[in-house]
Amino acid sequence: MDIRTMLDWNEIRSLRRYLHAHPELSGKEKETKKYLMAFLADRTDLELVDKGDWFYAHYEPAGQHGEGPVALRADMDALPVPEAIALPYGSTTAGIAHKCGHDGHSSALAAAALLLRKDARIHRPVYLIFQSAEETGKGGKSCADFLKEAGVEEVYAFHNLSGYPENAVMVRDRLTQCASKGLTVHFIGRKSHAGTPEKGRNPAQALARLALYAADLAEQAGTSTDKTLLLTIIGLNVGGEDFGISPGEGTFSVTLRADEESDLLRLENQLRDRARSLAVRDGLKVSFAERDPFPATVNTPRCAERVRKAACSLGLTLAPMPEPWRPSEDFGWYLKACPGAMFYVGNGMDWPAPHQPDYDFNDNILETAASLFLRLCEEDC
């Protein structure tokens, strides 16, 4: 099926740009969800099911050939990053923009929804999942639980990826994106006058020692194994510029990242143990807070091979991806629930990377992503 002639792609590009102009943060995609559901309701007869923060569209073909359901997933949330480039469809919400391409992911999946009934080779039920809160890692788990309820046998998603040829397809067997977690350590001591610091308990030394320990751990991890083991300090806060005050509390925040979740847990426990010993040393209280947990995204090899086969059948270029992509993806939850694969479509060699201020989704890859989605639903793929 040549989808280039079976859909008004200007309409899909307009959808993408509307979503770009009206971004919403993770867990707050109320209007995005409403607009996408209305878009599909006006143009398809698919069953649309509102699941609260997210929704799915369900296609049940007339003639089924025994294969179980397949699911396709896109995310909807934007980032707390201001629009830094002049676009005619630029963000209308201050400080928020689609700087990861989820506007394009949702638009490509919507395009696939419009084409499902036109594809005579699809003989299995299809669930199209429009997920919230990918950026914080909070949206994927409930959708993954739904896969089990619906008896889904395979699930697929894509991400746009810069530094690869435009419209090239990349897919890895097994590990494809790292596990990660945010950890904040909160030390509480006692504030005092800067002239009598002995009457207080200032956490500055404990915070400094913990930061140096984390840096040492990161250096050791980087030289002791060929696996990804990263500790990235993203926040270190204590006191202010009141020179008469010795502060009584402070925080240290770090992003932990690893190929394997067991390594992630080990790094976290090492930091927690060190923080507790420093708290005892300096007479401080210590507490911990976790943020944005992401499991590793581990593709099923036979599903990754289906992506390669689909890409080749469409005449697309397969590009090698020798290393996992370090940024995390909560699609990992889906792959714990059932077999599947995350694949990537190239933005272009010099295209700005996701999360950069000058990034915008490349509309030229919409057809490629939608074509692959459809092909993966066909029985002979």
Side-chain angles (χ1 to χ4, degrees), residues 138 181-185 265 268 272 288-293:
K138 294 181 178 179
K181 174 187 285 187
L183 179 69
T184 293
V185 181
L265 180 60
E268 179 184 354
R272 285 175 178 263
F288 305 92
E290 298 178 15
R291 285 277 302 277
D292 301 357

Side-chain angles (χ1 to χ4, degrees), residues 190-202 246:
R190 186 169 63 243
K191 186 186 295 187
S192 69
H193 194 284
T196 55
E198 70 278 6
K199 294 185 178 181
R201 291 195 177 93
N202 188 327
S246 176

Side-chain angles (χ1 to χ4, degrees), residues 1-3 6 59 61 63 65 67-72 112 115-126 154 156 306-307 309-311 313-314 370-381:
M1 184 177 75
D2 186 355
I3 70 170
M6 302 188 73
Y59 171 62
H65 289 181
E67 285 189 282
V70 60
L72 309 172
L115 290 163
L116 279 172
R117 216 169 275 288
K118 298 179 182 181
D119 192 336
R121 292 188 294 186
I122 296 178
H123 300 287
R124 64 195 302 192
V126 181
E154 296 175 24
Y156 297 92
R306 288 196 75 222
V307 174
K309 183 180 177 182
S313 72
L314 293 167
S371 297
L372 279 166
F373 273 152
L374 286 172
R375 192 77 180 92
L376 289 164
C377 296
E378 294 172 0
E379 62 178 346
D380 59 343
C381 176

